[in-house]
Amino acid sequence: MKKIIALVLALTLVFAFAACSSKGDTSDSSNASEPVSAAVTYKVGICNYVDDASLNQIADSIKAKLSSIEAEKNVKFDIAYDNCNADPNVLNQIVANFIADKVDLMVGIATPVAMAMQSATKDSDIPVVFSAVSDPISTKLVSSLEKPGKNITGTSDYLDTTSIMNLVFAVNSDVKKVGLLYDIGQDSSTTAIKEAKAFLEEKGIEVIERTGTKVDEVVLAAQALVSDKVDAVFTPTDNTIMKAELSIYEILSKAGIPHYTGADSFALNGAFLGYGVDYANLGEQTAEMIAEILVEKKNPAEMKVRTFDNGTATVNTETCEALGLSFDEVSEKIKPFCTAVKSIKTAESF
């Protein structure tokens, strides 16, 4: 009997101790962090048009910004990146692969890519965000910049052509003949070249047009402009000329001809001056639009196309010297027409 009573007392103490321990555990658990929910994953297909300094800078900026957004918003972007290298057949195949892989959103860097994606997704609900499309209205990508009206929106590197023309005459008021160097097949060049011709012809300036669709043709076009004895050359945000810039900048500078262009990446590759948007910022803004559509569920048809202040001039100091010009003097002359003047040296990439 005594053994039974002792056993009962022992069990009572055990249960009492367990109860106290349980209360202590409850107190500790109140300080434990809540479990973190699993990140939602979004599949994003990015296609670049061609391998050049401008477009590569945009692509790198998009991917870097999306990576930072992942940490901020506890999401995951599964990125499939490809480059069609200006081949329409390859481009169509890349877009088809994105559709087959059921991406949640496509990103088209440059006008031809955006147009291919728009065409391929018109009967689907896959949103498209474009980047570096100079004229999204004339190419019929959007109905208006304020309200695209379709399942597509993005960022534009619209070129303020008049501002660049002002720089040409600020540096040399005696310009009599200007060469226009571009690829006739580039939609990004169409409006800018038309505006440049109108501006120059109104001032009584002779205009010489030279075009090329690939690097060797652009080299021949540049050599022809030297023979034409032009006083300056203008190129808008033309990807074909951008790709060829490293092959032509010395041809022009040795002839004493400054090359005015529509992006800082041209100046990076040797052109005298690039004037336009900050492509790193353009890429970041593109990434933010991607996140707004996928994470915040915004409707691209109602999202305003983002444009930028085209007021930054980037001067290649090496080319400036080769032309017999002083960077300080050039800066002072063009400052009234720019929000900022920067210097750069020749390199292949940023």
Side-chain angles (χ1 to χ4, degrees), residues 114-176:
M115 294 177 70
M117 288 180 171
Q118 180 196 46
S119 176
T121 60
K122 61 184 179 181
D123 296 323
S124 75
D125 59 356
I126 302 175
V128 175
V129 175
F130 57 75
S131 190
V133 170
S134 302
D135 195 350
I137 294 179
S138 69
T139 53
K140 299 181 180 180
L141 283 170
V142 300
S143 300
S144 74
L145 297 181
E146 295 293 330
K147 289 189 176 182
K150 302 173 184 177
N151 207 36
I152 184 170
T153 187
T155 57
S156 172
D157 59 347
Y158 167 74
L159 179 67
D160 186 348
T161 309
T162 298
S163 294
I164 295 189
M165 293 296 103
N166 287 333
L167 300 184
V168 173
F169 292 95
V171 173
N172 181 5
S173 60
D174 294 328
V175 166
K176 303 298 182 186

Side-chain angles (χ1 to χ4, degrees), residues 157 159 164 234-237 260-264 266 273-277 279:
D157 59 347
L159 179 67
I164 295 189
F234 165 65
T235 294
T237 51
Y260 295 83
T261 63
D264 59 353
F266 283 90
L273 185 149
Y275 180 89
V277 305
Y279 278 96

Side-chain angles (χ1 to χ4, degrees), residues 201-216:
E201 288 170 358
E202 185 177 345
K203 290 178 71 70
I205 303 300
E206 183 179 355
V207 175
I208 304 293
E209 294 182 64
R210 296 292 183 181
T211 64
T213 60
K214 49 189 178 180
V215 173
D216 57 346

Side-chain angles (χ1 to χ4, degrees), residues 61-331:
S61 183
I62 290 173
K63 288 184 279 189
K65 184 63 176 179
L66 287 179
S67 179
S68 68
I69 292 174
E70 285 181 330
E72 294 170 9
K73 298 185 179 293
N74 188 34
V75 295
K76 175 69 177 176
F77 295 107
D78 181 7
I79 298 174
Y81 174 80
D82 215 329
N83 189 322
C84 69
N85 289 308
D87 187 321
N89 294 324
V90 175
L91 170 57
N92 291 332
Q93 186 58 57
I94 291 171
V95 174
N97 290 343
F98 287 162
I99 294 173
D101 292 340
K102 298 181 179 180
V103 297
D104 296 301
L105 182 145
M106 291 189 200
V107 182
I109 302 177
T111 303
V113 182
M115 294 177 70
M117 288 180 171
Q118 180 196 46
S119 176
T121 60
K122 61 184 179 181
D123 296 323
S124 75
D125 59 356
I126 302 175
V128 175
V129 175
F130 57 75
S131 190
V133 170
S134 302
D135 195 350
I137 294 179
S138 69
T139 53
K140 299 181 180 180
L141 283 170
V142 300
S143 300
S144 74
L145 297 181
E146 295 293 330
K147 289 189 176 182
K150 302 173 184 177
N151 207 36
I152 184 170
T153 187
T155 57
S156 172
D157 59 347
Y158 167 74
L159 179 67
D160 186 348
T161 309
T162 298
S163 294
I164 295 189
M165 293 296 103
N166 287 333
L167 300 184
V168 173
F169 292 95
V171 173
N172 181 5
S173 60
D174 294 328
V175 166
K176 303 298 182 186
K177 186 188 297 186
V178 174
L180 304 181
L181 179 61
Y182 63 101
D183 178 353
I184 199 168
Q186 286 282 319
D187 293 305
S188 60
S189 294
T190 304
T191 299
I193 291 296
K194 182 179 178 181
E195 291 174 348
K197 286 176 66 177
F199 179 96
L200 293 167
E201 288 170 358
E202 185 177 345
K203 290 178 71 70
I205 303 300
E206 183 179 355
V207 175
I208 304 293
E209 294 182 64
R210 296 292 183 181
T211 64
T213 60
K214 49 189 178 180
V215 173
D216 57 346
E217 292 177 356
V218 175
V219 170
L220 291 174
Q223 291 170 339
L225 288 171
V226 172
S227 298
D228 294 328
K229 300 186 184 303
V230 298
D231 299 307
V233 173
F234 165 65
T235 294
T237 51
D238 189 304
N239 292 307
T240 300
I241 309 304
M242 173 69 246
K243 190 174 181 180
E245 188 65 40
L246 283 167
S247 300
I248 66 171
Y249 80 92
E250 289 181 318
I251 295 173
L252 296 175
S253 62
K254 286 178 180 178
I257 301 171
H259 191 189
Y260 295 83
T261 63
D264 59 353
S265 47
F266 283 90
L268 177 75
N269 284 179
F272 167 60
L273 185 149
Y275 180 89
V277 305
D278 180 337
Y279 278 96
N281 180 48
L282 185 141
E284 290 179 0
Q285 294 295 317
T286 304
E288 288 187 2
M289 297 184 81
I290 294 167
E292 287 172 14
I293 292 170
L294 293 178
V295 182
E296 300 176 25
K297 308 304 178 186
K298 289 188 178 181
N299 180 5
E302 300 293 324
M303 292 175 65
K304 180 180 178 180
V305 174
R306 296 187 186 180
T307 56
F308 304 86
D309 179 5
N310 288 341
T312 300
T314 303
V315 178
N316 186 306
T317 54
E318 294 169 327
T319 301
C320 188
E321 183 179 354
L323 291 168
L325 299 172
S326 161
F327 172 73
D328 291 337
E329 291 180 4
V330 168
S331 297

Side-chain angles (χ1 to χ4, degrees), residues 7-70:
L7 181 59
V8 171
L9 290 172
L11 289 172
T12 300
L13 290 172
V14 169
F15 287 132
F17 180 78
C20 290
S21 298
S22 175
K23 289 178 181 178
D25 290 344
T26 301
S27 177
D28 291 340
S29 66
S30 65
N31 295 323
S33 60
E34 292 293 327
V36 178
S37 58
V40 178
T41 298
Y42 299 101
K43 296 181 71 174
V44 178
I46 302 176
C47 182
N48 197 349
Y49 179 60
V50 72
D51 186 22
D52 72 33
S54 292
L55 303 189
N56 290 347
Q57 186 181 27
I58 293 170
D60 292 342
S61 183
I62 290 173
K63 288 184 279 189
K65 184 63 176 179
L66 287 179
S67 179
S68 68
I69 292 174
E70 285 181 330

